[in-house]
Amino acid sequence: MDEKDLSLSLSLGSSCGQFLLSCRKDASPTAANVGGVDGMNRSGSTNMRDIGEEHESPSRTKRRSAEREERETEASAAGKAGSDEEEGETTRKKLRLTREQSAILEESFKEHTTLNPKQKIALAKQLNLRPRQVEVWFQNRRARTKLKQTEVDCEFLKRCCENLTEENRRLQREVLELRALKRSPHFYMQVPATTLTLCPSCEKGEASEKPTASLPFRQQIRL
DNA sequence: GGCCTTCGCCAGCTTACATCA
DNA sequence: GCTGATGTAAGCTGGCGAAGG
């Protein structure tokens, strides 16, 4: 699967994607949507953080703020070291992975979709990235794969639904036609006598020959 | 052995930024 | 050059299993 495929599949503009997203929002009250759409859009991550910490255990809150600090110091250290990112910036600058880095990560993902800590560190060294970046890339990649699969499933179910709807319409038309035929005075002349013996309510020891080919079996059952 | 806490990892959701038409 | 749409790196939170006390 190449990047083009992925970018195509990731368009949330499709009705399918929108449907899935709205379903998830309704179903699972995450911290992000506790405050509703307004709360979500108003002040971003700060708001989410505040909401989340009210419900977290103290140890977890401590751990998370320590992680945050660690990330911040790591990021600023990387900036000072003069890596790919701009130097000395405290604000988050978005890094684009190079083609080579992406290709290697893709290759690795093909082999295994999750990484153990050793693999993560090795890969990070090889790519000159932080282990956290490798971890995040794999997380996002799994999410993309899952989203793509969901869209494929959604398309398949949509087609199934369309086919069944069409089949249902066709059968209803058939029933109407047959009812009309039954009401017409020429009905009993058109239907061979032997087929009438198949009606269960009329089944009183009449001779039962095999249904004729003039009408499909389903149409002979209930008129 | 059961309970509690902590830790690490992950999924899901979201944001911020880069890129492109 | 501006703008909206899209893609994606990264942040945040909750859930869960494992390990240790």
Side-chain angles (χ1 to χ4, degrees):
Chain A
M1 192 194 319
D2 61 8
E3 283 183 0
K4 263 189 186 171
D5 288 341
L6 267 178
S7 51
L8 271 177
S9 69
L10 285 171
S11 162
L12 293 181
S14 69
S15 58
C16 179
Q18 283 172 343
F19 168 73
L20 288 165
L21 282 175
S22 61
C23 281
R24 284 201 201 108
K25 276 176 184 171
D26 291 344
S28 60
T30 60
N33 58 34
V34 159
V37 175
D38 286 345
M40 213 165 69
N41 290 336
R42 225 175 284 135
S43 61
S45 59
T46 311
N47 201 14
M48 288 167 68
R49 192 182 305 166
D50 292 346
I51 292 165
E53 289 188 356
E54 280 174 16
H55 302 290
E56 277 195 325
S57 70
S59 65
R60 193 165 198 171
T61 306
K62 270 186 196 170
R63 180 161 41 118
R64 293 228 146 120
S65 50
E67 284 170 4
R68 208 177 298 142
E69 275 176 28
E70 195 182 328
R71 275 199 299 272
E72 279 162 10
T73 50
E74 250 187 21
S76 63
K80 278 174 190 167
S83 63
D84 295 332
E85 293 141 298
E86 284 184 24
E87 288 180 30
E89 292 285 334
T90 48
T91 54
R92 170 177 147 196
K93 279 285 172 190
K94 188 156 183 163
L95 164 91
R96 302 293 291 197
L97 299 177
T98 64
R99 280 182 182 281
E100 290 75 23
Q101 285 172 326
S102 294
I104 291 170
L105 286 164
E106 280 292 343
E107 280 305 309
S108 180
F109 186 80
K110 275 181 197 165
E111 284 174 30
H112 26 65
T113 57
T114 54
L115 291 175
N116 63 40
K118 274 187 182 175
Q119 290 171 325
K120 193 203 304 180
I121 290 167
L123 200 53
K125 257 187 189 169
Q126 185 189 350
L127 297 169
N128 197 25
L129 294 171
R130 278 170 281 137
R132 169 72 185 158
Q133 287 176 295
V134 174
E135 186 183 318
V136 166
W137 187 90
F138 268 76
Q139 281 172 7
N140 286 321
R141 186 65 178 78
R142 282 193 295 271
R144 289 198 288 270
T145 304
K146 188 172 184 182
L147 181 58
K148 185 173 170 60
Q149 186 56 48
T150 305
E151 284 186 359
V152 168
D153 293 347
C154 189
E155 274 304 310
F156 175 73
L157 290 174
K158 227 164 94 181
R159 275 202 301 277
C160 283
C161 184
E162 283 166 6
N163 289 342
L164 287 172
T165 305
E166 182 51 39
E167 170 79 352
N168 189 30
R169 277 201 205 102
R170 196 181 61 73
L171 289 171
Q172 282 179 356
R173 275 200 306 272
E174 241 176 64
V175 167
L176 287 178
E177 282 169 19
L178 289 167
R179 280 190 182 142
L181 188 64
K182 189 184 175 186
R183 278 197 295 274
S184 90
H186 306 298
F187 175 69
Y188 293 103
M189 297 180 67
Q190 289 170 10
V191 181
T194 51
T195 63
L196 296 174
T197 63
L198 287 175
C199 174
S201 59
C202 302
E203 208 173 39
K204 291 178 181 173
E206 296 286 335
S208 56
E209 285 180 27
K210 277 186 179 176
T212 63
S214 60
L215 283 175
F217 180 72
R218 192 174 51 232
Q219 293 173 17
Q220 296 172 27
I221 297 175
R222 269 198 172 277
L223 293 179

